[in-house]
Amino acid sequence: MQKFAEGGDAWPRYPEMLHRLRELQAEAEAARQRERQVALVWIRKAIADYDLSPSELGLR
């Protein structure tokens, strides 16, 4: 990688950071999907266990 004479910063930083950002966004989305599935199981079980109605949940 090329170095600037002044400051010694590596160049280009923005494209590398953008690549890392996209990787993190994909990782975050995968985690969200996994955790969403766990939440749905928990919510469905709680609804069944406590015989909750949609109106009690503020859904209708």
Side-chain angles (χ1 to χ4, degrees):
M1 182 173 294
Q2 182 179 358
K3 296 273 187 181
F4 281 116
E6 295 178 21
D9 289 338
W11 185 87
R13 290 186 58 201
Y14 175 74
E16 292 171 6
M17 293 172 75
L18 190 57
H19 178 72
R20 286 183 18 223
L21 174 62
R22 290 181 179 144
E23 286 177 337
L24 285 171
Q25 286 172 325
E27 186 178 332
E29 178 59 22
R32 186 183 79 81
Q33 289 296 328
R34 283 189 310 273
E35 292 174 21
R36 184 179 187 274
Q37 292 305 311
V38 171
L40 285 171
V41 169
W42 182 84
I43 290 166
R44 288 181 180 130
K45 183 172 180 348
I47 289 170
D49 288 349
Y50 295 99
D51 193 28
L52 300 171
S53 70
S55 62
E56 289 176 300
L57 299 170
L59 300 175
R60 293 187 187 174

